[in-house]
Amino acid sequence: MNSKRIAVVVFSGGQDSTTCLVQALQQFDEVHALTFDYGQRHSQEIEVAKILAKQLGATAHKIMDVALLNELSPSALTRDSIPVDTGLKDLPNTFVPGRNILFLTLAGIYAYQIGAQTVITGVCETDYSGYPDCRNDFVQALEKALVLGMDRPLELRTPLMWLDKAETWGLADHYGALALVRDETLTCYNGQIGSGCGECPACQLRANGLAQYQADKATYLEQVKHKCELD
């Protein structure tokens, strides 16, 4: 039986998934980054993911073609012709129906093939953008379905689920990666690396969280340290 602790990180090269990758590399013997190419609005996301996975030292980085999702789920993230909503609302047009259902299912299959016990995703219910497939109930339900469907233990780990954006910055800082996450990740819906366009909802959440973190860094670091110890 393989005694190595192996994890698969669903990795987009954005703030959240990069923070998850940084943490996983400290916690597992092998960490495989898995990036999905679904014809997303800004294809440079994949190039950023390639660079970061190599730079951070992932055991392997697989890019999986899931172009069918683009055909089935038109949204502002899969169609250049659909302007990105600039305001925060219940279900923004950047929601890609079925994306996390597909991504986590495929990540579970990939984990089965390489003998990984854990799939890690950066979804978050505290500071999420109204996406129903980022909720804890959804992740728990899908984990149960994957375990039943493949008849093998599998954990869907969500280290950011109960962190707000300020705490997520604190987690990156806790692992010495704040500057890398701040300057080299791609979170912006308009495809701008680092601080981004400053206007889209993703950039607003990111910037507000960073400002909150910097205003009370010591408190947030202590909160993150405590939560990491609980994990």
Side-chain angles (χ1 to χ4, degrees):
M1 184 175 180
N2 191 348
S3 60
K4 280 188 175 182
R5 298 187 69 237
I6 305 173
V8 175
V9 176
V10 178
F11 185 57
S12 69
Q15 175 190 0
D16 294 341
S17 66
T18 301
T19 301
C20 289
L21 180 58
V22 167
Q23 182 186 53
L25 287 164
Q26 299 295 318
Q27 296 178 335
F28 291 85
D29 300 311
E30 288 186 15
V31 179
H32 296 246
L34 180 59
T35 299
F36 295 101
D37 181 354
Y38 59 98
Q40 47 266 64
R41 186 185 187 99
H42 39 81
S43 59
Q44 62 266 46
E45 176 180 297
I46 296 168
E47 296 306 313
V48 169
K50 286 180 183 178
I51 292 168
L52 289 173
K54 183 176 181 180
Q55 182 177 342
L56 289 169
T59 304
H61 182 211
K62 182 175 182 60
I63 299 170
M64 190 173 292
D65 184 354
V66 289
L68 181 62
L69 181 63
N70 188 295
E71 180 181 338
L72 293 174
S73 297
S75 83
L77 291 192
T78 59
R79 298 289 188 276
D80 289 338
S81 59
I82 302 176
V84 174
D85 286 334
T86 55
L88 298 175
K89 60 183 187 179
D90 290 340
L91 190 60
N93 68 357
T94 50
F95 174 58
V96 182
R99 180 170 60 172
N100 283 337
I101 298 172
L102 179 62
F103 287 3
L104 291 174
T105 299
L106 293 174
I109 297 169
Y110 182 63
Y112 185 102
Q113 298 301 328
I114 65 172
Q117 306 89 358
T118 303
V119 169
I120 299 170
T121 176
V123 299
C124 170
E125 190 166 317
T126 305
D127 252 352
Y128 80 138
S129 299
Y131 300 163
D133 59 358
C134 289
R135 295 177 297 187
N136 188 57
D137 286 350
F138 158 73
V139 175
Q140 290 183 332
L142 188 59
E143 177 185 273
K144 182 177 180 180
L146 290 171
V147 169
L148 289 171
M150 295 190 290
D151 195 24
R152 202 193 79 168
L154 179 71
E155 175 191 18
L156 295 185
R157 182 177 291 193
T158 55
L160 310 184
M161 181 59 74
W162 307 116
L163 302 186
D164 62 25
K165 268 291 181 284
E167 290 173 314
T168 301
W169 283 111
L171 186 62
D173 203 7
H174 176 75
Y175 289 105
L178 187 143
L180 178 142
V181 173
R182 182 191 63 213
D183 299 334
E184 300 181 40
T185 61
L186 174 55
T187 303
C188 175
Y189 289 150
N190 291 312
Q192 298 183 33
I193 295 172
S195 58
C197 70
E199 298 179 357
C200 72
C203 286
Q204 292 174 29
L205 282 173
R206 177 179 167 124
N208 290 340
L210 182 58
Q212 291 169 19
Y213 174 68
Q214 291 174 330
D216 197 3
K217 181 175 177 178
T219 299
Y220 281 112
L221 276 175
E222 187 61 31
Q223 289 174 357
V224 166
K225 181 181 178 182
H226 177 66
K227 290 184 178 182
C228 288
E229 289 171 350
L230 292 177
D231 290 340

